[in-house]
Amino acid sequence: MKKKTVLIAFIAVILLAAVVAAGLHAVFTVAYIRASFTTHTPEGEVAAQELKEKLNTYLNRSMTFLDIEEVRTTAQSNPRFRVVTAEKSFPSTIVLEIEERSAAFVIRSQEGYDVIDNEGVRIAQTQSAENYVELTGDFSVSYENGVMTGNFVPELLQMYASFIEILG
């Protein structure tokens, strides 16, 4: 008899948890994605539209169980963008502030030129260095997750920041 009571109580707890989870899902479902983009280039505008489509895959998902870091990672999947803020706004909105990275300089690569921002992130590739500041020299750089690595990369970025500060 005691085992039957424990079993019934266990089943009741499981059913209650299922009802609560279903209720949370019904009430707290992503209905809106409010992504605010700051772009500087026509390419950034196009990429922002593509990113909005990617972010729409989060619609109708449970806000309760949604990992906001997963949303941030999706938003940063295009290296052209930096996520300034990513947060849940209950009951049904994901709020993102996303800005386009600005090209700082280019470095020659096998494919043409790598467009780099002031943090060393490769944001694009181009066939021409026209309209960009080109850094020339014996730079042996590689990229790890889209970020420049190699000997003297921190110093290179610091020198670039100093030049920009002095020259404006």
Side-chain angles (χ1 to χ4, degrees):
M1 188 70 171
K2 192 172 189 178
K3 286 183 181 181
K4 186 176 180 182
T5 305
V6 170
L7 182 62
I8 290 172
F10 178 73
I11 291 172
V13 168
I14 296 292
L15 288 174
L16 179 63
V19 168
V20 168
L24 287 175
H25 179 70
V27 173
F28 298 116
T29 299
V30 177
Y32 308 102
I33 298 176
R34 195 170 67 221
S36 170
F37 284 88
T38 303
T39 58
H40 312 291
T41 64
E43 295 86 0
E45 286 290 325
V46 171
Q49 291 301 321
E50 293 170 358
L51 184 53
K52 284 179 187 179
E53 291 300 318
K54 269 188 181 179
L55 292 171
N56 282 341
T57 61
Y58 291 100
L59 289 172
N60 299 319
R61 292 195 35 196
S62 171
M63 282 284 283
T64 307
F65 304 110
L66 181 69
D67 180 8
I68 197 68
E69 288 307 312
E70 178 186 340
V71 177
R72 178 184 290 276
T73 300
T74 299
Q76 291 181 155
S77 65
N78 185 331
R80 180 176 293 280
F81 297 110
R82 171 188 304 110
V83 176
V84 179
T85 59
E87 56 191 33
K88 296 178 186 181
S89 178
F90 285 95
S92 62
T93 305
I94 298 173
V95 180
L96 297 161
E97 183 181 347
I98 302 168
E99 63 183 26
E100 182 181 12
R101 295 176 182 274
S102 297
F105 54 88
V106 294
I107 295 179
R108 182 177 288 284
S109 68
Q110 293 178 348
E111 296 82 23
Y113 295 90
D114 292 335
V115 182
I116 311 296
D117 82 339
N118 62 351
E119 296 175 346
V121 176
R122 178 175 48 190
I123 59 176
Q125 291 184 311
T126 184
Q127 295 303 310
S128 169
E130 189 176 333
N131 299 325
Y132 294 103
V133 173
E134 180 182 1
L135 297 185
T136 59
D138 185 20
F139 300 116
S140 57
V141 299
S142 58
Y143 299 95
E144 187 174 305
N145 297 321
V147 179
M148 286 175 50
T149 61
N151 293 337
F152 307 112
V153 167
E155 292 84 354
L156 174 69
L157 294 174
Q158 182 59 45
M159 284 190 297
Y160 176 78
S162 298
F163 289 142
I164 291 302
E165 185 178 317
I166 293 169
L167 302 174

